[in-house]
Amino acid sequence: MSKWICVTCGTQYPERDTPPEHCSICEDERQYIGLGGQRWTTLEEMKATGYRNAFYEHEPHLWGLETVSEFAIGQHAKLIRTPHGNILWDCISYIDDVTVDLIRGIGGIQAIAISHPHFYSSMVEWAERFDARIYLHARDRRWVMYPSDRIEFWDGTQVELNPEVTLVHVGGHFAGSTVLLWKSGANGKGVLLTGDTVSVSADRRWVSFMYSFPNRIPLSAVIMKGVRSRLEPLSFDRLYGTQADSVVEYDAKGVVIRSVERYLDALRRTEER
């Protein structure tokens, strides 16, 4: 029996003798099936072929994690170290003893919080290795491919994981898309971790928002106004997106609000043509 992992999106499925016939995450219109068709692997196969995890420091008490060589859609995770316990934001598919020992050496993981289903990856495996709880927004319940008692579905607008860390539901990319507000980050000015719910653009003066990034499907004006209403009350000066270099170093809230207005203006001009 193996816990099969989708090679394209990185989602792990429960134990079974043979790989699943379909990956529901990849068959959704926000994702895709690779050109080689549906393919599967396991953690054991990944280890045998030389995968490993790399760590880097974004700023004091905030670490990034990525799998090398790049796997699936290139998911990165973030580890926030707080006096109240460490929080893993988003998740990656690969985990091994080296990763576990390193993280345990700096306090382990108290909770795992994930922005949206494209980062569910091997979340249950991670939670079991660290005896951690997983926090997912209830509106994305249907996208959980590997059910577990470790998953806690939360509803509403916000949930506080500890005095420094709050999850905020914003919607958009997925119905349950969530961001994480780390209040003491950026020297106390506040950090927002967004996955690709809010995507950092090549020009760091802007961020962007999409229903599907690979398939280039935009969000509607109504949904974007809802996203703006959830982000406007938050206080943050720095923003980290998906990748190691997806960072808005300062005035991140201003960048986000101006980017929403630019997006809405582009939709208006398109409708007027």
Side-chain angles (χ1 to χ4, degrees):
M1 299 267 283
S2 296
K3 298 175 183 177
W4 299 95
I5 298 173
C6 174
V7 170
T8 302
C9 74
T11 301
Q12 187 183 53
Y13 284 69
E15 282 188 328
R16 50 181 289 164
D17 291 327
T18 58
E21 293 184 9
H22 305 278
C23 175
S24 299
I25 300 293
C26 286
E27 291 180 349
D28 176 62
E29 64 181 349
R30 281 161 287 206
Q31 182 51 19
Y32 57 91
I33 297 171
L35 293 175
Q38 182 63 61
R39 296 186 296 131
W40 301 91
T41 188
T42 64
L43 287 173
E44 294 75 20
E45 289 179 3
M46 291 181 71
K47 181 177 181 179
T49 53
Y51 282 100
R52 63 181 178 84
N53 287 333
F55 296 76
Y56 47 90
E57 188 176 32
H58 281 295
E59 62 178 80
H61 308 300
L62 180 64
W63 289 79
L65 296 78
E66 64 177 309
T67 298
V68 183
S69 301
E70 186 175 281
F71 180 71
I73 58 174
Q75 290 97 332
H76 287 219
K78 303 284 190 293
L79 183 68
I80 309 167
R81 301 181 64 192
T82 83
H84 317 282
N86 297 341
I87 308 294
L88 184 69
W89 170 248
D90 281 337
C91 200
I92 55 179
S93 300
Y94 188 63
I95 183 172
D96 57 15
D97 291 342
V98 173
T99 301
V100 172
D101 289 345
L102 193 154
I103 294 177
R104 282 180 178 163
I106 56 173
I109 295 172
Q110 175 198 30
I112 299 170
I114 301 182
S115 60
H116 69 287
H118 292 156
F119 285 82
Y120 287 177
S121 54
S122 296
M123 61 181 178
V124 175
E125 191 85 25
W126 279 77
E128 290 176 349
R129 296 294 295 270
F130 290 101
D131 192 24
R133 306 299 296 170
I134 303 169
Y135 291 84
L136 308 178
H137 198 276
R139 295 192 66 183
D140 285 339
R141 183 190 296 264
R142 61 170 291 206
W143 299 106
V144 173
M145 301 295 114
Y146 191 159
S148 170
D149 291 339
R150 293 187 177 275
I151 299 173
E152 294 191 19
F153 293 101
W154 62 279
D155 210 344
T157 304
Q158 296 188 10
V159 63
E160 187 178 273
L161 297 185
N162 68 41
E164 290 191 16
V165 175
T166 300
L167 303 181
V168 182
H169 172 241
V170 298
H173 186 36
F174 273 79
S177 283
T178 300
V179 297
L180 181 151
L181 181 65
W182 176 33
K183 299 171 187 174
S184 61
N187 297 315
K189 296 179 181 179
V191 159
L192 196 70
L193 305 181
T194 65
D196 58 8
T197 296
V198 180
S199 179
V200 179
S201 301
D203 181 343
R204 297 298 189 267
R205 296 175 300 168
W206 304 98
V207 294
S208 192
F209 315 83
M210 292 288 279
Y211 178 74
S212 170
F213 287 93
N215 299 320
R216 298 178 177 85
I217 306 173
L219 292 167
S220 71
V222 171
I223 291 176
M224 281 306 307
K225 289 174 182 177
V227 170
R228 179 180 59 190
S229 72
R230 298 291 175 87
L231 292 171
E232 274 184 323
L234 307 181
S235 179
F236 57 94
D237 189 54
R238 188 172 297 151
L239 184 150
Y240 294 94
T242 54
Q243 307 302 311
D245 60 350
S246 299
V247 184
V248 179
E249 292 285 354
Y250 57 90
D251 188 31
K253 182 174 178 179
V255 167
V256 168
I257 298 305
R258 288 191 294 273
S259 296
V260 172
E261 294 306 319
R262 184 174 76 159
Y263 188 104
L264 291 171
D265 184 60
L267 290 178
R268 284 192 291 268
R269 285 186 279 111
T270 300
E271 291 171 356
E272 292 168 358
R273 289 176 183 170

